[in-house]
Structures are given as C-alpha cells and as structure tokens.
Amino acid sequence: MRTAIYARYSAGPHQTDQSIEGQVRVCTDYCKQHNLTIIEIYADRHISGKTDERPEFQRLIADGKKKKFDAVVVYKTDRFARNKYDSAIYKRQLKLNGIKIFYAAEAIPDGPEGIILESLMEGLAEYYSAELAQKIKRGLHESALKCKIIGNTIPLGYRASKENTFEIDPEGAKTVQSIFEMYNAGETNAAICSRLNSLGIKTSRGNQFNKNSINRIISNEKYIGVYESAGVRIEDGIPPIISKETFYLAQREKERKRVGKSKRQPRAEYLLAGKLYCGHCKKPMIGVSGTGKSGNKFYYYYCQTVRNKGNCDKKHVKTDYIEDLIVKKTVEHLMQPKLLKEAAHRIWLLQSENNTRENDIAYFKKKLQENKRAIDNIVKAVEKGLGTDTLLERLQALESEKTAIEGELAYYKATDFGLSEEQLYYFLESFLKPEDDWVEYKRRIIKCFVNKVFIYNDRLTIYYNINKNTEFDFDDVLIEDIDGVRREPHQLHYIFFTVTF
C-alpha cells in the first residue's frame, strides 16, 4: 500500500528537528511492521496544530486529492490537528479519496467503536493544547509585568535592550513614522508598499512590504507606548515612536477605507456532511445555501440526485432542523449512563486487542540485539588489527543507532498508549449534559456517535457507532441493517433508531 508520513512540531523553545526525526522514525518502523510502502514524507516545523495553515499539511491534502498515496501514517492524533473541526474536515477529505489514516503510537481499532475512540483522542489533544497554553500564559505573566519582550518577533522600529525590554531602533522608527504620515495623507497600502520596496526597506522579518504589513503597523498600539502581552496591558510601558494623535488619525483613516467593502461571509458548516443519505435513492445529501428576498442566508441538505435533476422525489430539508432533531434523539436514546459505561468497556477491550506496545518492545529489543552483534563484530576485527577508516565510521554510526534504539525502547517500556476504561467513560460521560454552546455540542455528538443517517420524506433512520452486542432495549429498531441486509436484532452491526416526522 502506497503510504505517506506526516510529522509536525509546534513552535517553542524545546521543539527541534529531533522531534520530527523521532516521529518519522516511529512512523517508518510502523510501516515496516505493517508492510506499508513509504513514498513521501511531509513535515511542518514550528507550526501549531491548532491552525490548518501549514504548507506541508496542505501539500499532503492536495496530493491526497490526486490519489498519490493510499494511506497516511501519523505519529499520534494531535500531530494531524489539535482543532477538532479542521481534523474532521480534512480526515473526511482523505477518506472520500479512499485514503486510510493510521496512528503509529496510538492503538485505535477499526470499526464503529474506533471512531468514538479517535474522537476522544482528538478531544484530549485539543484539551492538552488549551491546558498547555494556560500553563505557558501563567509562566509568562511575570515577564509581562516587567514589560519584557515575549516571543521572537519585535515590531519594526524597536530592538531588544540588554534587559530584554523594548528600545527604539532609530532607522526603523523613521520608517514607521513615514508609514503613518503616508497613510494619514490618504495613500493606499499598495502605494506605500511600492514606495518602501523601491527604497529597499524591509519589514522586521526581513521581507518586502505587502498590504498586510501596513495594516499590522497601523494597528499596533506599541507605537504609542502600550505594552500588551500574556494578559497584561501597561500604558507607557514602551518608549513611543509616534504621538497618540497620529495613531488615532490613522485608525479613523482605516475605518474610512473599510466602509463600503463587503463583509466576508462566514464559512457554512454542514455537520452531517458525509453522514446524511437520501433514503429513497441512497445518494448523499449535500449542503446547499440560498439567499431569501430579505437578504438572509438559508442552509439546506439536498439529495444529490435531485440536484442533478435525476429521478428522485426526496424533498430538501433545513440544516438546523434536521441536525437538531438528530442530536435530540441521540441524547434521548443513547445518553444513558449504563449504555455509555458498556460502550467504554467495549472500546477499552478493542483498544487492548489492538495495542501493539508489546510487539513494539519486542521489535526494538530485536533491533538492539542485532545492533550489539554488529558492534561486537567490528570491535573484534579492530582487535585483530583489521580496522580500517570505513570500519571505524561504521562503528560510529552503529553507536549512534544504538543510542536511538535504546531511547525508543525506554519510551515504549515507560508509555502505555491506551486510555483506561475509567478515562474512556469520563469523556463519554461529558456528553450527558448539553453544553452552553449548542452548535459545539451538536458537532461533538454527530462526530462521535452518528455513523450514518438515511432520511426519507416522512422518517429517518440514525445508525450509531455502537455495536449491537451492547445490552440495550431494541423494541424500536428495525431488522434491516445499514447495508440493507435484513437480519435478526442480535445479528445487527449498529444500534439504530427510526424517527417519524
């Protein structure tokens, strides 16, 4: 199977290329053990997983659309994305192109329970990201109170003092003052950029100026002496470069230029995309938007056959109505402590069955033995007077390899890559109480529990990511499974319910 590896590490003082190398090494070993052929490695350095604006990640997604590979191996779920919305969108894109996703250091089983487990692991990654951000923020608070420079980027016109505070850079300050003067005189961003670039003046990062560069400078309160970082705001905490009058004139000019420009419409989110199907023709229901006479936007799910003017009489349905209905019925039927406890137990059992930790330990032990034998052979040859420069180079390489293998072995011995049954239930239990943010709650319920929905003009059938072997009252279920095959209730693959309108 043609396979791509994706690796990433975030910006931070302790994040280095070694993190990438370690991820790639573990992913490579995973591919060897599972007979996967590596054709490409994608690696983003110093970029957070909370954003999808990662060059190598976007190249991975683009190549996935071109079907250059059949599978993607990632070290852990949080390497792919720490934003659950982005994670869902891009994983769906890959899966629509027939691409499988594997995690080298996490045991996530196939099947419906695996979908729930993956969702929980993504939730953990997002929680960890938020928690880490809080810890970093607390750690930086004291530095901010002293108006210290936090981060690597210093605005144009300033430089770091010996005490790591902001001090004025005379040449850069002249450029900033010129930018404000030109801006307040009514010159466009493009004209200002053209003037600066023609003079060979660079931004604080050493790049040419663009429209966004000008907007960032015009909006930066540091230029009037305001220090703001890590939740701390101190007036006159920085030596000012321009007067407050000049700054506020620029803000009024910016507002004047903004008036008349059309506002960017928010991206529509169809929570049931890839899960909702027409019950009549079995084609996907696709998200479609429209604008009413009042100018308001409306969002619907349309049968693909109907949109293509084919032979199907399925009516369109409003997104909010059908999403709310499905979530409310899911809460009513599934959000029961007994059912969630059993689901947690089943997921834990499957996770344990798929946990490769012992195999990984055995694999690295074998690699270490092979490495030691090779080292011993070279040492014996040197002792017999047969040493050459090539042998000595090989010995040095083997010693480096030994250190890496010992590190991996220690890592696998000390780490259990699964979640305990208590942890699994704890996260499933969080679904019992609806959140204040109803849209986010809908997103979580649908992503975690809903497998597929078949909608008719008078009813819909919801299939959930919970196995039929779970003890439950099946009085309301049909005897036709998701694949259309009629079976007895105890033979069905998924729990599902039919709701009539």
Side-chain angles (χ1 to χ4, degrees):
M1 185 181 291
R2 298 173 305 157
T3 304
I5 290 175
Y6 176 73
R8 174 193 65 78
Y9 69 84
S10 302
H14 303 297
Q15 300 288 343
T16 67
D17 277 355
Q18 292 176 7
S19 175
I20 292 288
E21 292 168 4
Q23 291 175 46
V24 171
R25 183 166 58 250
V26 174
C27 291
T28 300
D29 288 333
Y30 179 91
C31 291
K32 288 178 181 177
Q33 293 173 49
H34 294 82
N35 297 319
L36 302 175
T37 303
I38 301 169
I39 64 165
E40 187 76 67
I41 295 175
Y42 303 80
D44 281 308
R45 294 165 169 81
H46 278 290
I47 303 179
S48 170
K50 291 189 289 187
T51 176
D52 63 348
E53 294 179 3
R54 293 172 263 153
E56 286 290 273
F57 180 77
Q58 290 298 335
R59 188 167 73 88
L60 171 81
I61 298 301
D63 287 351
K65 289 180 181 178
K66 298 172 185 176
K67 300 187 177 180
K68 290 187 175 180
F69 43 81
D70 309 303
V72 176
V73 174
V74 188
Y75 180 65
K76 283 189 176 184
T77 50
D78 65 350
R79 297 301 90 188
F80 190 83
R82 281 183 175 165
N83 177 301
K84 287 185 289 186
Y85 176 66
D86 286 344
S87 179
I89 293 295
Y90 290 113
K91 283 180 181 177
R92 178 173 174 268
Q93 284 186 21
L94 291 174
K95 288 175 181 177
L96 284 175
N97 289 307
I99 297 168
K100 293 184 177 181
I101 303 174
F102 300 104
Y103 304 101
E106 286 174 338
I108 297 180
D110 292 330
E113 285 87 356
I115 297 172
I116 297 178
L117 178 60
E118 185 176 354
S119 179
L120 296 182
M121 297 299 284
E122 288 171 0
L124 270 175
E126 192 166 44
Y127 169 79
Y128 166 77
S129 181
E131 183 186 42
L132 182 62
Q134 286 298 318
K135 288 180 179 177
I136 293 172
K137 188 175 180 180
R138 287 194 296 270
L140 297 176
H141 188 74
E142 287 300 318
S143 293
L145 290 174
K146 298 173 184 176
C147 296
K148 298 281 188 179
I149 296 173
I150 295 174
N152 298 322
T153 304
I154 300 175
L156 182 67
Y158 290 104
R159 63 191 177 196
S161 69
K162 292 180 180 179
E163 293 77 27
N164 200 36
T165 56
F166 290 94
E167 68 177 21
I168 293 177
D169 169 43
E171 288 301 316
K174 288 180 183 178
T175 300
V176 171
Q177 291 165 351
S178 297
I179 289 172
F180 274 91
E181 287 173 7
M182 289 187 283
Y183 194 88
N184 287 342
E187 290 197 40
T188 64
N189 286 19
I192 296 172
C193 290
S194 178
R195 169 71 175 162
L196 295 171
N197 292 333
S198 67
L199 294 172
I201 300 173
K202 301 294 183 181
T203 68
S204 59
R205 296 183 178 182
N207 302 321
Q208 286 198 325
F209 284 86
N210 58 42
K211 294 178 182 179
N212 292 331
S213 309
I214 304 303
N215 286 333
R216 282 194 294 269
I217 289 171
I218 293 301
S219 305
N220 195 340
E221 287 187 302
K222 283 186 174 68
Y223 294 122
I224 55 173
V226 178
Y227 177 93
E228 188 167 9
S229 187
V232 174
R233 180 182 173 90
I234 300 175
E235 302 284 342
D236 301 320
I238 300 173
I241 290 177
I242 60 169
S243 67
K244 291 182 179 179
E245 181 184 8
T246 299
F247 182 81
Y248 292 122
L249 279 173
Q251 304 319 300
R252 285 199 289 271
E253 178 66 15
K254 183 179 178 181
E255 179 63 19
R256 184 189 69 78
K257 291 178 178 179
R258 187 191 67 82
V259 173
K261 291 184 178 180
S262 59
K263 292 183 179 180
R264 184 181 177 184
Q265 292 293 333
R267 179 170 57 170
E269 183 180 3
Y270 298 93
L271 301 180
L272 290 167
K275 294 177 182 282
L276 187 63
Y277 293 83
C278 173
H280 301 281
C281 68
K282 304 302 187 257
K283 293 290 185 181
M285 298 287 288
I286 56 177
V288 176
S289 64
T291 305
K293 293 181 180 178
S294 62
N296 294 327
K297 276 272 189 182
F298 296 95
Y299 303 94
Y300 302 91
Y301 287 106
Y302 267 84
C303 170
Q304 190 178 73
T305 302
V306 174
R307 288 288 292 178
N308 293 333
K309 299 182 179 180
N311 186 23
C312 184
D313 60 358
K314 176 72 192 78
K315 298 175 182 177
H316 62 270
V317 59
K318 286 186 177 180
T319 56
D320 284 345
Y321 166 74
I322 200 65
E323 289 169 0
D324 288 351
L325 176 63
I326 287 170
V327 170
K328 287 174 182 175
K329 289 298 178 182
T330 300
V331 171
E332 178 185 335
H333 287 300
L334 293 193
M335 296 302 103
Q336 302 174 24
K338 180 182 176 182
L339 178 61
L340 295 182
K341 280 183 180 178
E342 188 165 346
H345 179 67
R346 286 188 55 77
I347 294 168
W348 177 77
L349 287 175
L350 283 168
Q351 177 187 246
S352 301
E353 292 170 4
N354 286 268
N355 197 328
T356 63
R357 178 170 174 258
E358 294 303 322
N359 291 336
D360 293 328
I361 290 173
Y363 172 77
F364 283 110
K365 279 184 176 179
K366 182 180 177 183
K367 292 273 287 184
L368 189 59
Q369 289 174 353
E370 293 172 353
N371 174 274
K372 287 180 177 179
R373 279 198 298 268
I375 289 175
D376 289 342
N377 290 336
I378 292 177
V379 170
K380 288 176 183 177
V382 172
E383 288 173 346
K384 291 178 181 179
L386 302 175
T388 63
D389 290 342
T390 302
L391 270 181
L392 292 174
E393 288 176 6
R394 174 60 178 155
L395 180 61
Q396 188 176 6
L398 285 169
E399 290 289 354
S400 298
E401 183 184 90
K402 178 186 174 185
T403 302
I405 295 172
E406 287 175 338
E408 295 294 346
L409 188 57
Y411 174 70
Y412 277 96
K413 283 181 176 179
T415 308
D416 187 354
F417 298 112
L419 293 173
S420 69
E421 190 170 342
E422 291 74 19
Q423 287 174 315
L424 288 166
Y425 178 65
Y426 172 79
F427 285 107
L428 289 176
E429 189 183 33
S430 68
F431 290 97
L432 292 175
K433 295 181 181 179
E435 301 170 2
D436 293 335
D437 186 342
W438 174 245
V439 175
E440 174 60 21
Y441 185 65
K442 284 199 300 183
R443 184 183 295 120
R444 290 180 64 213
I445 288 284
I446 291 172
K447 182 178 186 301
C448 192
F449 293 102
V450 177
N451 187 291
K452 280 190 179 182
V453 180
F454 288 95
I455 183 168
Y456 303 81
N457 285 329
D458 59 348
R459 69 189 189 281
L460 61 82
T461 302
I462 312 167
Y463 293 83
Y464 297 109
N465 290 320
I466 296 181
N467 196 290
K468 266 296 186 180
N469 294 328
T470 305
E471 293 180 10
F472 202 62
D473 181 4
F474 298 126
D475 290 344
D476 294 335
V477 305
L478 303 177
I479 58 170
E480 185 175 283
D481 204 358
I482 198 167
D483 56 6
V485 178
R486 296 178 69 83
R487 297 182 174 91
E488 294 300 321
H490 68 278
Q491 297 176 317
L492 299 178
H493 296 163
Y494 299 84
I495 283 181
F496 65 96
F497 295 93
T498 296
V499 180
T500 54
F501 300 142

